Amino acid sequence: LRTTFELPLRGADVISYFQEFGKEFLLIGGGNEAGLREGDVVLDQHGFVVGFVHEVRDAFAKVSIASNAGMTHEAEIIPGSTRVLAKSIGARTFLLELLPADAAVRTGDFVGVAQSVAGVRRIFLLAELRKSTERPGNIFREAHAVLVARPETLATVFVISLPR
């Protein structure tokens, strides 16, 4: 992964996976002592986004899973680079908003979350498009995607600290 992303990447052990008030979280080793910060991107061993560092203590950090209800991500459909908003609606599902009706999308396309790194826009794979529905007379279509990562199975994650 380190050579794939060419960014500061740290491995971290997963201490636990848990649910709290209908949202999913990971507790990972590291924390302030390892240089982790709120907002850092957390990936699985395949490079898919798991979530984002939500809270940091000295020796551990709490990761909010990217599909937790209420989170919204600037994203792109891949292939094609169509920009959308990926709104997390819970149950590891995203509602893709502002998707043009004429966008060429199909089941199985990936959704990547966009992050700016030193002025360069980077895309990290987040979800897989599962359903797209045209709405007659509307300039936008409705689409849903699901989180690719399986946080409950992870023993190790990788954290990318983005420059702020």
Side-chain angles (χ1 to χ4, degrees), residues 101-115:
D102 62 351
V105 297
R106 60 190 177 278
T107 301
D109 284 352
F110 284 109
V111 178
V113 64
Q115 296 285 320

Side-chain angles (χ1 to χ4, degrees), residues 4 8 17 21 58 61 64 69 79 89 92 105-106 120 125 143-144 158:
T4 301
Y17 161 84
F21 302 110
D58 287 340
S64 180
I89 56 176
R92 299 192 184 167
V105 297
R106 60 190 177 278
V120 176
L125 295 180
H144 291 86
F158 300 90

Side-chain angles (χ1 to χ4, degrees), residues 6-148:
E6 297 177 355
L7 294 169
L9 186 68
R10 295 177 178 88
D13 292 330
V14 175
I15 298 168
S16 71
Y17 161 84
F18 62 98
Q19 295 181 1
E20 186 176 87
F21 302 110
K23 294 184 177 187
E24 298 176 280
F25 297 93
L26 292 178
L27 190 64
I28 63 173
N32 287 325
E33 295 168 353
L36 302 184
R37 296 179 297 181
E38 286 185 26
D40 286 351
V41 179
V42 179
L43 308 174
D44 69 9
Q45 70 273 21
H46 304 293
F48 289 106
V49 173
V50 174
F52 301 90
V53 174
H54 176 71
E55 187 178 319
V56 183
R57 296 291 184 244
D58 287 340
F60 65 88
K62 184 177 179 181
V63 176
S64 180
I65 304 307
S67 57
N68 282 339
M71 297 180 79
T72 301
H73 311 285
E74 181 184 338
E76 287 186 10
I77 308 274
I78 302 166
S81 300
T82 302
R83 292 185 181 191
V84 295
L85 288 179
K87 183 177 183 180
S88 304
I89 56 176
R92 299 192 184 167
T93 304
F94 299 91
L95 173 63
L96 304 181
E97 296 184 337
L98 304 177
L99 178 60
D102 62 351
V105 297
R106 60 190 177 278
T107 301
D109 284 352
F110 284 109
V111 178
V113 64
Q115 296 285 320
S116 182
V117 181
V120 176
R121 185 178 167 86
R122 298 261 187 167
I123 303 296
F124 301 98
L125 295 180
L126 171 71
E128 181 183 344
L129 196 124
R130 290 290 173 91
K131 183 175 104 174
S132 174
T133 309
E134 291 185 40
R135 297 184 288 183
N138 201 321
I139 61 171
F140 298 111
R141 69 172 47 209
E142 184 174 291
H144 291 86
V146 295
L147 186 71
V148 175

